[in-house]
Amino acid sequence: MKETFINSILLTIILMLSADVKSQNCDHLVRGIILDQHDTTILAFANIIIEGTGQGIQADSSGYYELKGLCPGTYTFICSHVDCEPIKRRIKIEDKITECNFYPEHHAKELEQVIIKSRTGQESTISKDQLDQETLASFKTSSLSQNLTNIAGISTLKTGSNIEKPIIHGLYGSRIAIIQQNSKLEDQQWGNEHAPNIDVLMFDKIEVVKGAASVRYGAKAIGGAVLLEQSKLYTGNKLKGSFIGNIQSNAPGASIGLVLKKGIKKYSGLGWKFATGIQKFGDQSAPDYVMSNSGLENVNASFSIGKDLGKWTNRITISSRYNNSGLLLASQVSSLKDIERALSADIPAIIRPFTFAIDAPRQQTLHSVAIYNGGVRLNEAHNLKYNISYQFNNRKEFDVRRSGRTDIPAVNMNLHTLEMDLTEDHRWNEHVSGSVGVTFMSQQNINIDNTQRRPIIPYYSLINPGIFVFEQAGFNDWTLEGGARMDFLALRSKYYNTQKQLNAPERQFTNGLFSAGVSRSIKDIITVRGNAGMGFRAPDVNELYSDGVHLSASAYEVGDPNLKSERSFKLIVEIENSKDRLFHYELNIFRQSFSNYIYQKKDGFVSTIAGLKLKYIYLQDDALFQGFDLNMDLNAGNFISLKSRTSYVHATNKATNKGIPLIAPFSTNLDVSLHLLKKVENLPLFDLIISGDYSAAQKRFDEDDLFKAPPASYILFDVGIRYSGRTRNNSIELKCNNILNQTYSNYLNNLRYFSPQEAGRNITVQYSFNF
């Protein structure tokens, strides 16, 4: 009886529980979108599961997910995506429909300074440095070269106050490949005084490859490569963007930049980005005088639109940049007496009152580019990428001319470039991956016949096909890499020589090269990398056939049609400890030997219709470059941090056993940042930054190469204050460069012969706002 009663009670409880479960009506659903935490771009195919249950679903290509058949209650949801830390979130389900978006923090953040890893997850053996987010944001309206000087081992070759070219380990010009959105920049970069036509505003990542980069990027990467990339297009419905503006006191003027981005709601995965900037600066001043006719103005605009469907990606970028730069008025001389005076004087021969006007001599460029980037994921192990670009570059140089002809350009060239490449990325297994690809470039330079001058650069056309393969294997803490490339270049030129005879030479160059590397990570604390590679570079058309006035350089240049290809072998070793340690260091040691290194050597003076010019001839000799870069960072808690960059290049002409022209001397820098407010997330930042830059005198030079010995060593001090709001969306910065108004001369300035002093004190105020 008792047992029957107990069984009846248990049966009743079970029936009641069963009825209660049925009464819950488990027809609720949770839905939402998976977006990147930083730029709210869609993260396709993320996984969402309910902890402790077998329920889960994968988001679709637009990042949308929907979980149905849920009972009321509180659950722990887990969202995971490749390269992201999983997110756990407690969700209480009461209503029929519950909205819940997830925002994973994507580890492939393209703005932060990270170690680039391969598709196998192993360290790359090639030495690379990337600008951190804070530096890139601060220098958005600055030139590419000014951005790159924040990286150890990078210096700039200058022509006056506005024209700068990056130097990597002593090499510059057409030995450095500048890659914008997978397209190699082609903008008459053969000239020392031809600054890269790049709008930094449009790009979200700037990286420098210091190692042997010719296998991937071709002959013009014999000295390294600069990679500029945009981040993945934002596809959200809300308009986002940023504004940056600054004013300065020396070269008085201002610059503004605006970036906008938005998704197109009607089309999933489709987004666009627009960037534009304007700069206008007047004459710059040295401590003791005005650098007359050193003003600058430029306008640029870029637009990008694309769609990412998961398997297929398509993107089109178009941009145009106009630049008008004054050339130091004192650099144009008419007699030997004028040149002798300029080389010995402490101030320029011509000094006029400050003005915003830009008169002759000046250079004017217009560079436009259209780039298509596409890709398709064939399967989990194979991707196909294809890029097509067209570039147009018009370059004009204006001289001071008689009879009202100053407005007629003395140089007027149109450069047309078509580039195509196809790359197949593959992963054979979890340890081995690689790429194989083909490249093609066609280029044509046309001189416009309205200059009334014989052009320094002839008409020419060239084709440059290539093929490359690159493989990487990673096992535990070891990574091995190897690659090879074959290039063919055919060059046809047509020009009249000084005797008015028509010449139509043809040159062909075929070259093969390779690279190999190894890296090892020791207990995730220290990484050691070693990379060796062979490179080559065919002589540029100016090195072969120039014979005339190069107005921007205030020089008369004579090429050698018999020049051979440069060949080099570079060995680079890098030691780096983990970036998350209190004290971080990165030591880079390199050695690069050259056969047939091409350089300019002085050859007296020559009288021309444009006045008396410094004469240079192109020569070839074997050379050796060796040196080191050292980066050190110390984060001493929340109140102080220190950064140091040190570089040295020892370059030798093996024929003379003396130095090579225009090699940066030993330099070192120290930045001390004092965090006046405790550096804590969600609190404002208020920093005082004190910087010191030391540049030694260049002692290694050949007096037969230069018209004037290198200047003395110097040290400069900068001071700045930066405030960032709690959300980091707005900041204001006050900075004073050369605060002591130090008088100094820069060995790497081509116009130091005519203006022995560099810019004096400069105060800049900059405001930026993200929305």
Side-chain angles (χ1 to χ4, degrees):
M1 184 73 173
K2 183 178 180 180
E3 183 177 330
T4 302
F5 177 76
I6 293 174
N7 289 338
S8 299
I9 295 296
L10 289 174
L11 179 61
T12 302
I13 293 173
I14 291 172
L15 291 173
M16 290 175 64
L17 289 174
S18 176
D20 184 64
V21 169
K22 290 182 180 179
S23 68
Q24 287 192 59
N25 297 323
C26 297
D27 57 355
H28 296 244
L29 70 86
V30 176
R31 68 187 183 190
I33 301 175
I34 317 301
L35 302 170
D36 186 279
Q37 175 183 335
H38 296 278
D39 57 11
T40 65
T41 54
I42 289 171
L43 297 180
F45 309 113
N47 293 310
I48 299 91
I49 63 172
I50 301 177
E51 188 175 47
T53 74
Q55 292 178 284
I57 196 170
Q58 185 179 65
D60 62 19
S61 61
S62 63
Y64 177 79
Y65 78 93
E66 189 176 283
L67 265 171
K68 299 179 180 180
L70 301 179
C71 301
T74 301
Y75 302 87
T76 299
F77 282 66
I78 302 175
C79 174
S80 61
H81 188 267
V82 62
D83 293 329
C84 300
E85 289 289 343
I87 293 178
K88 285 188 177 183
R89 186 170 175 182
R90 296 278 290 177
I91 300 175
K92 186 175 182 180
I93 299 176
E94 295 177 323
D95 300 326
K96 290 289 185 179
I97 299 176
T98 302
E99 302 281 352
C100 180
N101 297 335
F102 288 93
Y103 300 88
E105 182 178 9
H106 207 271
H107 283 191
K109 293 176 288 184
E110 295 176 291
L111 293 178
E112 294 190 359
Q113 185 171 356
V114 296
I115 299 173
I116 305 302
K117 297 192 176 184
S118 70
R119 287 169 297 280
T120 60
Q122 301 297 319
E123 303 286 356
S124 173
T125 71
I126 298 176
S127 176
K128 298 181 180 181
D129 283 290
Q130 184 175 317
L131 284 181
D132 61 87
Q133 180 180 2
E134 186 177 279
T135 301
L136 184 56
S138 181
F139 282 76
K140 270 288 189 178
T141 58
S142 301
S143 70
L144 174 63
S145 296
Q146 289 172 340
N147 274 268
L148 296 178
T149 54
N150 292 284
I151 296 175
I154 310 298
S155 50
T156 58
L157 180 65
K158 300 181 65 178
T159 300
S161 56
N162 298 317
I163 304 169
E164 299 172 322
K165 297 176 74 72
I167 305 175
I168 302 177
H169 290 168
L171 302 177
Y172 54 87
S174 58
R175 298 183 182 97
I176 305 298
I178 298 178
I179 313 296
Q180 53 172 341
Q181 203 64 19
N182 297 315
S183 173
K184 191 182 302 178
L185 178 67
E186 294 289 339
D187 64 344
Q188 304 281 10
Q189 65 266 38
W190 49 266
N192 288 350
E193 76 301 336
H194 299 177
N197 283 284
I198 289 288
D199 176 16
V200 177
L201 268 175
M202 192 65 173
F203 298 99
D204 306 301
K205 172 183 172 183
I206 300 179
E207 183 179 49
V208 174
V209 180
K210 297 178 181 177
S214 294
V215 166
R216 179 61 186 89
Y217 303 112
K220 291 186 178 179
I222 193 172
V226 179
L227 313 181
L228 298 100
E229 298 179 12
Q230 302 176 45
S231 62
K232 185 178 178 182
L233 278 173
Y234 166 68
T235 57
N237 293 327
K238 182 181 178 181
L239 179 67
K240 291 195 170 187
S242 61
F243 169 85
I244 183 169
N246 66 54
I247 57 174
Q248 66 180 41
S249 64
N250 194 351
S255 65
I256 59 172
L258 176 67
V259 179
L260 301 173
K261 55 185 178 180
K262 190 179 184 298
I264 300 177
K265 186 176 181 180
K266 186 177 179 180
Y267 303 98
S268 175
L270 183 65
W272 57 265
K273 181 179 181 180
F274 172 75
T276 186
I278 302 174
Q279 291 183 323
K280 176 66 178 179
F281 301 109
D283 289 337
Q284 198 168 49
S285 296
D288 297 330
Y289 55 82
V290 174
M291 301 177 188
S292 297
N293 202 50
S294 59
L296 166 72
E297 58 189 17
N298 66 55
V299 180
N300 55 69
S302 303
F303 179 77
S304 185
I305 186 168
K307 190 170 187 178
D308 187 348
L309 298 177
K311 180 177 180 180
W312 295 87
T313 59
N314 295 279
R315 185 170 191 158
I316 296 175
T317 301
I318 56 175
S319 66
S320 189
R321 180 180 177 88
Y322 167 82
N323 184 84
N324 185 26
S325 300
L327 299 170
L328 186 73
L329 192 58
S331 67
Q332 308 304 304
V333 296
S334 58
S335 68
L336 181 59
K337 184 179 179 180
D338 290 339
I339 287 185
E340 290 175 344
R341 180 196 177 282
L343 294 176
S344 60
D346 294 328
I347 61 174
I350 303 175
I351 301 175
R352 293 179 178 174
F354 167 83
T355 178
F356 282 99
I358 301 174
D359 299 319
R362 63 186 178 92
Q363 61 173 238
Q364 178 181 299
T365 60
L366 175 65
H367 187 78
S368 300
V369 59
I371 303 172
Y372 168 71
N373 306 120
V376 57
R377 185 176 61 190
L378 302 177
N379 51 48
E380 290 299 321
H382 296 271
N383 294 325
L384 200 61
K385 296 185 294 186
Y386 32 90
N387 305 290
I388 303 173
S389 70
Y390 168 74
Q391 299 178 65
F392 169 78
N393 182 268
N394 172 256
R395 181 177 187 82
K396 295 185 177 80
E397 297 183 0
F398 296 84
D399 197 1
V400 179
R401 307 172 82 172
R402 299 186 182 95
S403 304
R405 295 180 299 149
T406 297
D407 290 334
I408 299 175
V411 173
N412 193 354
M413 300 181 289
N414 288 337
L415 183 68
H416 303 265
T417 306
L418 175 67
E419 292 181 301
M420 297 180 286
D421 69 78
L422 178 66
T423 304
E424 188 267 344
D425 294 331
H426 50 260
R427 184 177 65 250
W428 302 118
N429 52 51
E430 61 178 328
H431 298 293
V432 182
S433 67
S435 301
V436 60
V438 294
T439 63
F440 177 82
M441 183 179 75
S442 173
Q443 190 172 82
Q444 185 179 52
N445 183 72
I446 301 172
N447 289 294
I448 308 302
D449 297 329
N450 66 343
T451 64
Q452 302 176 19
R453 293 265 182 95
R454 187 166 57 87
I456 182 176
I457 297 297
Y459 164 87
Y460 72 85
S461 62
L462 66 81
I463 59 170
N464 179 200
I467 184 170
F468 70 90
V469 60
F470 185 84
E471 296 293 327
Q472 182 189 71
F475 301 93
N476 298 322
D477 297 330
W478 290 88
T479 302
L480 302 175
E481 290 180 343
R485 183 183 183 99
M486 180 68 70
D487 266 282
F488 172 78
L489 188 146
L491 172 67
R492 291 183 175 183
S493 303
K494 188 182 294 185
Y495 63 95
Y496 287 93
N497 61 21
T498 54
Q499 289 77 40
K500 298 184 179 181
Q501 296 171 327
L502 181 62
N503 291 266
E506 297 184 13
R507 294 289 303 271
Q508 295 184 356
F509 304 89
T510 302
N511 291 280
L513 52 94
F514 75 91
S515 70
V518 60
S519 74
R520 187 189 179 193
S521 178
I522 304 173
K523 295 182 179 180
D524 293 326
I525 298 175
I526 296 177
T527 301
V528 181
R529 304 181 185 93
N531 188 273
M534 177 188 292
F536 81 92
R537 183 183 73 91
D540 279 335
V541 67
N542 67 306
E543 297 165 334
L544 291 167
Y545 306 123
S546 61
D547 188 2
V549 175
H550 195 173
L551 180 64
S552 297
S554 190
Y556 189 98
E557 299 179 1
V558 180
D560 181 352
N562 299 312
L563 293 176
K564 303 175 183 178
S565 288
E566 290 181 340
R567 289 188 173 275
S568 82
F569 181 80
K570 186 170 188 178
L571 175 65
I572 187 166
V573 176
E574 187 176 73
I575 303 173
E576 178 184 23
N577 72 339
S578 175
K579 285 184 169 64
D580 59 6
R581 301 184 72 82
L582 178 67
F583 174 66
H584 168 69
Y585 64 86
E586 181 181 339
L587 176 62
N588 187 301
I589 304 170
F590 68 91
R591 185 181 192 274
Q592 187 168 14
S593 59
F594 276 88
S595 297
N596 304 319
Y597 178 80
I598 301 172
Y599 65 101
Q600 283 185 331
K601 185 182 183 70
K602 75 173 185 180
D603 191 35
F605 309 97
V606 59
S607 181
T608 74
I609 193 173
L612 197 70
K613 300 297 179 184
L614 310 177
K615 185 180 179 182
Y616 293 94
I617 58 175
Y618 286 97
L619 298 177
Q620 280 189 307
D621 282 310
D622 293 347
L624 176 64
F625 290 71
Q626 47 194 347
F628 71 90
D629 310 325
L630 177 62
N631 282 320
M632 294 185 292
D633 297 327
L634 176 63
N635 294 310
N638 290 321
F639 297 100
I640 185 171
S641 58
L642 294 88
K643 292 183 179 182
S644 174
R645 303 184 302 274
T646 303
S647 304
Y648 177 64
V649 179
H650 185 281
T652 302
N653 184 329
K654 292 184 178 181
T656 63
N657 201 33
K658 294 183 178 181
I660 291 173
L662 298 176
I663 299 299
F666 171 84
S667 64
T668 187
N669 159 276
L670 177 63
D671 294 339
V672 180
S673 297
L674 302 175
H675 311 303
L676 304 181
L677 296 178
K678 190 175 181 181
K679 195 173 183 181
V680 178
E681 190 175 356
N682 295 325
L683 288 179
L685 291 179
F686 189 36
D687 297 340
L688 171 66
I689 304 102
I690 303 172
S691 302
D693 294 272
Y694 171 77
S695 180
Q698 179 56 274
K699 301 295 186 181
R700 291 187 49 77
F701 66 96
D702 187 342
E703 58 276 6
D704 292 335
D705 293 336
L706 307 175
F707 287 95
K708 186 177 181 179
S713 62
Y714 59 87
I715 184 168
L716 303 176
F717 292 98
D718 304 332
V719 176
I721 296 176
R722 180 173 57 234
Y723 173 83
S724 298
R726 181 180 59 83
T727 62
R728 309 294 190 264
N729 283 331
N730 62 331
S731 67
I732 187 167
E733 183 174 358
L734 172 65
K735 188 172 184 180
C736 184
N737 296 102
N738 192 5
I739 190 171
L740 301 180
N741 206 30
Q742 177 73 33
T743 298
Y744 71 102
S745 183
N746 184 356
Y747 173 57
L748 298 179
N749 192 334
N750 284 309
L751 295 187
R752 70 184 179 91
Y753 297 138
F754 307 100
S755 177
Q757 296 182 17
E758 293 292 314
R761 183 186 298 114
N762 181 34
I763 299 173
T764 303
V765 179
Q766 178 169 287
Y767 174 74
S768 61
F769 174 67
N770 299 320
F771 56 90

